[in-house]
């Protein structure tokens, strides 16, 4: 009987996670600032000094909407953690790349590196010229 409850719980949890991630994707898709950021090279807004890195991936994996709100409120670490969490979990990489761009603009240097890597991966070396 415990196995049945565990199976039901896990399937409900997986569905809720997918639903929450879809909400985040839709919010990013409707926010034009992400579209603008994702068209820019990170060198256009590379920070003079970086923000101390704090890993929030576990939090973002269970609270993606809250994580996006904290990102939109200006916390670069939540943007980066959400970008790392969404990478490979959404159709296409636009959402993680847009979040890397936002985190970079907010001062998280490692996000700038990830965004530059994404530019090379999706657009080739000429995208960094």
């Amino acid at each position: 009987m415990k196995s049945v409850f565990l199976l039901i719980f896990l399937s409900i949890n997986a569905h809720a996670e997918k639903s929450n991630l879809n909400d985040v994707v839709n919010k990013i898709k409707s926010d034009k600032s992400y579209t603008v950021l994702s068209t820019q090279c990170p060198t256009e807004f590379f920070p003079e000094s970086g923000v101390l890195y704090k890993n929030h991936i576990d939090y973002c994996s269970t609270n993606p909407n809250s994580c996006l709100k904290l990102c939109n409120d200006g916390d670069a670490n939540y943007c980066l953690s959400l970008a790392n969490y969404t990478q490979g979990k959404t159709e296409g990489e636009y959402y993680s790349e847009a979040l890397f761009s936002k985190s970079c603009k907010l001062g998280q240097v490692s996000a700038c590196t990830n965004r530059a890597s994404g530019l090379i991966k999706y657009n080739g070396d000429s995208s960094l010229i």
Side-chain angles (χ1 to χ4, degrees), residues 3-52:
S3 299
V4 172
F5 285 120
L6 181 60
L7 184 61
I8 291 170
F9 173 76
L10 291 175
S11 66
I12 290 170
N13 192 33
H15 177 69
E17 179 182 333
K18 181 73 172 166
S19 175
N20 287 337
L21 195 53
N22 286 338
D23 290 344
V24 166
V25 163
N26 289 331
K27 288 175 185 173
I28 292 171
K29 195 184 302 186
S30 67
D31 187 335
K32 299 300 178 204
S33 68
Y34 284 102
T35 304
V36 171
L37 279 172
S38 64
T39 63
Q40 297 173 315
C41 179
T43 59
E44 294 179 40
F45 42 80
F46 194 85
E48 289 183 25
S49 63
V51 171
L52 182 63

Side-chain angles (χ1 to χ4, degrees), residues 57-113:
I57 295 173
D58 288 340
Y59 177 79
C60 291
S61 71
T62 56
N63 302 288
N65 279 302
S66 176
C67 209
L68 181 62
K69 181 184 179 333
L70 291 164
C71 169
N72 287 336
D73 288 345
D75 191 313
N77 285 305
Y78 283 98
C79 298
L80 178 57
S81 293
L82 187 57
N84 284 322
Y85 172 67
T86 61
Q87 202 167 32
K89 289 184 173 44
T90 60
E91 275 188 43
E93 294 299 319
Y94 167 77
Y95 307 102
S96 58
E97 294 299 315
L99 288 162
F100 285 135
S101 292
K102 177 131 184 164
S103 182
C104 174
K105 186 170 186 173
L106 292 172
Q108 187 46 262
V109 176
S110 61
C112 301
T113 304

